[in-house]
Amino acid sequence: VRGGSTILSVVPEGSRVRKGALLVELDDAAFTKELAAAQIAVEQAKSALDEASAEQKAIELDQKATLEVLEEDVRNAELARQRVLGDGGELACQLAAVQSDLAIAKERLKVAESFLNAAPGGSGGKSEIDLRLMASEAREATKVAELRKQFLEQHERPYQTALLNGAINQKKLQLVRQKNELEKSVRSAKAQVMAKESLVDVALRKVDQIE
C-alpha cells in the first residue's frame, strides 16, 4: 500500500474461510482524507474551467462586436470619400456650378462685346457705358469662375483626396491592429481553457487512483 498502512483486523492464521470472505482490513483514514481533498480539487478545477470558458465566450463576443464597429467605420470613411469625390459628389457639383457660371459669364461677355462692335452708340436702349460695364462685369465674372475652377481642380480635389484616403487608411490600420489584439486575446483565452481542462483531467485521475 502506497505510504504504508496500519492493519485494523486480520483473520488468524490457520482459519478456515470461504470465497469472498474478508481476510484483512487496513486503515484507510489517510486515503479517505486524501480523497476528500482530491474531490474538492476536482470541483475547484471544474469551476476554474467554467470561468475560463465563460471568459473565452465573452472575448469572442467582444471581438465580433468590436470588429463589426470598426468595419463599419471603414465603410463610412469610404462612403465619405465617394460622397465628396465620386460621380455626382460634392466636388463634382461644385465644378458643375462653376462651369455653368463660367459659361454664362462668357456668353454675357460675348453678347456685350457684339453689341459694342455692332452699335457703338448703344443698342436696345442701353448706352455704350452700360454695355462696357456689362462687358467688364462679364470679364470679371469669367475670371473669378476660372479661378474657382482652377482652385477646385488643382487644390481642393488633391486636398480632399489625401484627407479622405488618409481617413480610410487610418480606419483600416485601426481595424487590423484591433483584430490582431483581439485574436491574441482569443488565443490566450483558448489556451487557458485547455490548461483548465488538463487540470480537471489530472484531478479526476487522482480521484480514481485514490478510490
Side-chain angles (χ1 to χ4, degrees), residues 13-59:
E13 185 176 355
S15 299
R16 186 177 297 278
V17 295
R18 296 180 179 179
K19 181 179 180 180
L22 179 64
L23 302 181
V24 61
E25 182 180 4
L26 304 177
D27 185 4
D28 64 355
F31 286 104
T32 301
K33 183 177 180 180
E34 189 177 353
L35 178 61
Q39 290 171 335
I40 293 174
V42 168
E43 295 304 317
Q44 291 175 339
K46 288 182 177 180
S47 177
L49 174 59
D50 291 340
E51 291 179 1
S53 298
E55 179 68 16
Q56 178 187 341
K57 290 180 180 179
I59 291 175

Side-chain angles (χ1 to χ4, degrees), residues 23-190:
L23 302 181
V24 61
E25 182 180 4
L26 304 177
D27 185 4
D28 64 355
F31 286 104
T32 301
K33 183 177 180 180
E34 189 177 353
L35 178 61
Q39 290 171 335
I40 293 174
V42 168
E43 295 304 317
Q44 291 175 339
K46 288 182 177 180
S47 177
L49 174 59
D50 291 340
E51 291 179 1
S53 298
E55 179 68 16
Q56 178 187 341
K57 290 180 180 179
I59 291 175
E60 289 174 343
L61 289 174
D62 181 67
Q63 179 192 41
K64 182 179 178 182
T66 301
L67 292 181
E68 286 177 353
V69 171
L70 293 176
E71 288 168 354
E72 185 66 22
D73 288 344
V74 172
R75 287 192 292 269
N76 290 337
E78 291 173 343
L79 287 174
R81 179 178 62 183
Q82 184 66 20
R83 180 175 179 269
V84 175
L85 301 176
D87 295 337
E90 290 181 356
L91 190 58
C93 291
Q94 292 175 14
L95 279 170
V98 168
Q99 289 172 346
S100 176
D101 293 343
L102 181 59
I104 293 172
K106 286 182 177 180
E107 186 63 26
R108 290 186 63 192
L109 178 60
K110 181 179 178 182
V111 171
E113 289 177 343
S114 64
F115 280 154
L116 284 171
N117 293 332
S123 177
K126 291 184 179 293
S127 66
E128 183 178 354
I129 295 177
D130 290 335
L131 291 174
R132 291 185 182 279
L133 180 59
M134 178 180 173
S136 177
E137 290 175 347
R139 277 192 292 271
E140 288 299 319
T142 301
K143 182 179 178 181
V144 170
E146 288 175 343
L147 287 174
R148 287 176 60 197
K149 180 182 178 183
Q150 182 181 1
F151 169 76
L152 290 173
E153 292 178 340
Q154 297 183 8
H155 299 284
E156 186 65 11
R157 184 188 296 277
Y159 171 75
Q160 291 293 342
T161 300
L163 187 67
L164 294 169
N165 286 341
I168 292 173
N169 292 334
Q170 184 178 8
K171 295 297 182 181
K172 288 182 176 179
L173 179 61
Q174 185 179 2
L175 173 61
V176 171
R177 286 178 175 174
Q178 192 65 39
K179 186 176 181 179
N180 291 336
E181 288 295 325
L182 290 171
E183 288 178 350
K184 181 179 178 182
S185 298
V186 170
R187 288 194 299 269
S188 177
K190 288 181 177 179

